[in-house]
Amino acid sequence: MTIIKPNYIYINSKFQKNLAVVFDKEIQAIDTIENLHKKYPNATIEETKENSVLYPGFINTHVHLEFSANKTTLKYGSFMSWLDSVIKNREELIGACDNSMMMQECQNMMKSGITTFGAISSFGLELEVCTKTPQKVIFFNEIIGSNSSIADMLYSNFLERLDESKKYRDKGVTPAIAIHAPYSVHPIVLKRAVNVAKTEDLPLTAHFLESQAEREWLEDDSGEFLLFFQKFFNSSKSVTKIDEFIESFDETPTHFAHVVQANEEELRYLAQKGHSIAHCPRSNRLLGCGRLPIETLIELNIPFTIATDGLSSNNSLNIFDELRAGLMLHHLGSIEELASLFIASITSVPANIFSLNSGKIEVGRDADFALVTLPAKPSSLESIALQTILHTKEVTNVWIDGKKVI
Ligand code: BEZ
Ligand code: FE2
């Protein structure tokens, strides 16, 4: 049993003083240090520095580890030039990405306090790393393929990868399903994959309305995707429409990534069906996708997470780099309130979306923590979220299931 008494603890979306936490694999009690000493006289005391803040371990819901080899190869600025560069360099980038590189990126995430991540897996290449990293992983096996003639083959490959990932629940891997995107998945296999998620109660995610080009293609088979599909797939017609795609998820609350180009009516529909959004500010900026109207999400009460996406569209997997970028991108409204929502977006919100027993400092929850040390005393409790985001590059310590991993 360990007792920790930081200066501040993030409980119930607020920062509280004069409290301590006792934990083994799970959180046992939250009380004053005096009461905990009395009740747990043999517990080990974990020392903290001045101006320490204890958070639940952070959750990054959307990352592509398989693309960790990209540094300067891919073309940024517009979605279609980026996608062209991905197609052109995919084999080389995947070939250059080995287990030690992916493990290093898991470590990098951990240094920023990430104790759980959602791995979007195109090929299953990161599965071994995900079984070995101390972090918990929602392993989203991705289905892709708009061409009906190879859809069956791609679907059976997807099922094989899904089955493989089901073997490692005891290694902290939760099997899950990812739909690549509306433009790239044939509606028949889409329905089959969604049905598997529904019947087996597996987490489900999908890239959706990331770029203006995607919107034009889905709306009227025009725009930059027309040239792309003519060139690579000898096709001039989108396999689905926006409405048809959204309605496929009506009975399975889904974590949609990006959604930058959705209109208000579509956002209302997502809200009504209990869906959520993974927001990746740096990825959106680098691929020229525009700004997600986060204020509309807040108004409509759509749960959103802040996530890094992969190194194919980012320069680090550090969640604090991402939060800082988000704060600078979203200039409307109160910055302290936005910072508070951002901390919730990497803790309690993803825990609720995926029914995780982490993400909150609460009795009975997993003892997953990120301990942050601020450079000086915060001027108010309300400013701690903002000051944490501004000043943290790396956290001081990390625990997963009560075990100190940093
Ligand atoms: C497709 O199968 O349609 C597809 C695959 C990758 C990127 C875009 C489309
Ligand atoms: Fe992504």
Side-chain angles (χ1 to χ4, degrees):
M1 213 66 89
T2 304
I3 296 179
I4 185 164
K5 188 193 172 307
N7 296 92
Y8 310 95
I9 307 183
Y10 181 73
I11 297 176
N12 230 336
S13 308
K14 297 248 173 327
F15 294 91
Q16 303 214 22
K17 288 199 285 194
N18 305 321
L19 283 177
V21 177
V22 61
F23 61 92
D24 48 16
K25 280 177 88 162
E26 289 181 355
I27 298 170
Q28 298 298 324
I30 304 163
D31 206 336
T32 60
I33 189 77
E34 295 77 19
N35 286 347
L36 291 184
H37 274 319
K38 265 187 243 154
K39 202 163 165 211
Y40 302 89
N42 300 322
T44 314
I45 308 295
E46 180 68 42
E47 298 298 333
T48 57
K49 295 193 195 107
E50 205 42 51
N51 305 312
S52 55
V53 190
L54 188 68
Y55 287 95
F58 302 132
I59 302 162
N60 180 16
T61 63
H62 189 104
V63 56
H64 302 254
L65 282 178
E66 290 166 319
F67 284 93
S68 295
N70 177 59
K71 291 276 185 289
T72 54
T73 306
L74 298 178
K75 172 117 182 83
Y76 293 147
S78 97
F79 186 80
M80 283 319 295
S81 343
W82 172 80
L83 189 57
D84 276 335
S85 75
V86 171
I87 305 259
K88 197 167 132 218
N89 296 285
R90 191 168 41 187
E91 268 165 41
E92 192 191 316
L93 288 174
I94 296 292
C97 183
D98 59 14
N99 279 3
S100 78
M101 184 178 266
M102 292 190 279
M103 191 53 102
Q104 183 58 53
E105 290 307 331
C106 293
Q107 282 289 326
N108 290 344
M109 282 197 269
M110 206 148 73
K111 285 184 199 160
S112 73
I114 293 172
T115 54
T116 296
F117 60 84
I120 316 297
S121 175
S122 305
F123 311 103
L125 302 175
E126 71 283 66
L127 181 59
E128 188 182 341
V129 165
C130 292
T131 65
K132 290 185 174 155
T133 186
Q135 288 140 317
K136 298 163 186 174
V137 183
I138 306 172
F139 197 83
F140 289 107
N141 296 279
E142 189 170 69
I143 173 85
I144 193 167
S146 61
N147 183 339
S148 60
S149 66
I150 54 166
D152 277 342
M153 193 258 290
L154 292 171
Y155 186 73
S156 61
N157 171 274
F158 152 77
L159 284 184
E160 274 171 33
R161 286 183 281 121
L162 177 63
D163 280 346
E164 188 60 23
S165 68
K166 286 178 184 168
K167 295 179 186 161
Y168 300 99
R169 283 187 190 268
D170 64 333
K171 300 264 188 285
V173 170
T174 301
I177 294 178
I179 307 298
H180 179 257
Y183 56 83
S184 60
V185 179
H186 195 278
I188 296 189
V189 284
L190 165 67
K191 286 187 178 66
R192 281 154 84 184
V194 170
N195 201 40
V196 174
K198 186 179 165 201
T199 51
E200 299 187 25
D201 197 18
L202 302 178
L204 183 60
T205 192
H207 295 108
F208 182 44
L209 289 178
E210 180 172 5
S211 63
Q212 181 61 30
E214 175 179 337
R215 183 156 199 115
E216 284 172 45
W217 175 241
L218 298 176
E219 274 187 330
D220 46 29
D221 305 308
S222 68
E224 291 177 290
F225 260 114
L226 178 58
L227 291 175
F228 176 90
F229 272 95
Q230 283 171 337
K231 183 169 152 196
F232 291 110
F233 295 94
N234 194 23
S235 155
S236 303
K237 200 171 168 350
S238 159
V239 288
T240 193
K241 294 276 165 213
I242 292 173
D243 289 0
E244 183 196 19
F245 185 77
I246 303 193
E247 286 162 14
S248 311
F249 297 89
D250 276 359
E251 288 155 36
T252 44
T254 301
H255 194 48
F256 288 105
H258 307 309
V259 202
V260 176
Q261 295 297 334
N263 61 31
E264 194 171 325
E265 192 189 334
E266 288 148 2
L267 289 175
R268 278 187 196 282
Y269 194 83
L270 295 183
Q272 188 201 329
K273 297 294 176 190
H275 299 306
S276 58
I277 291 176
H279 174 37
C280 309
R282 284 184 292 172
S283 173
N284 296 161
R285 178 70 183 98
L286 291 172
L287 308 192
C289 292
R291 190 185 74 90
L292 178 77
I294 206 167
E295 50 291 341
T296 312
L297 270 53
I298 295 166
E299 195 189 310
L300 296 176
N301 252 322
I302 301 178
F304 70 88
T305 68
I306 302 285
T308 59
D309 216 339
L311 289 172
S312 33
S313 55
N314 214 334
N315 60 336
S316 83
L317 300 184
N318 181 311
I319 199 68
F320 282 105
D321 288 346
E322 201 64 51
L323 299 179
R324 278 188 287 276
L327 279 184
M328 303 306 157
L329 182 65
H330 300 294
H331 54 281
L332 302 168
S334 150
I335 195 163
E336 282 192 354
E337 281 168 25
L338 189 63
S340 296
L341 288 175
F342 278 11
I343 294 293
S345 85
I346 56 168
T347 55
S348 56
V349 172
N352 289 342
I353 292 170
F354 295 115
S355 305
L356 307 174
N357 195 42
S358 55
K360 294 179 193 180
I361 298 186
E362 209 172 76
V363 173
R365 294 258 168 188
D366 297 350
D368 294 3
F369 302 115
L371 183 73
V372 166
T373 309
L374 294 174
K377 192 174 184 305
S379 58
S380 68
L381 294 177
E382 292 71 34
S383 71
I384 295 178
L386 175 61
Q387 298 301 354
T388 299
I389 295 172
L390 291 178
H391 292 288
T392 312
K393 186 79 183 164
E394 292 188 359
V395 302
T396 310
N397 296 114
V398 176
W399 288 262
I400 297 177
D401 289 333
K403 190 163 168 251
K404 200 173 185 179
V405 288
I406 286 184

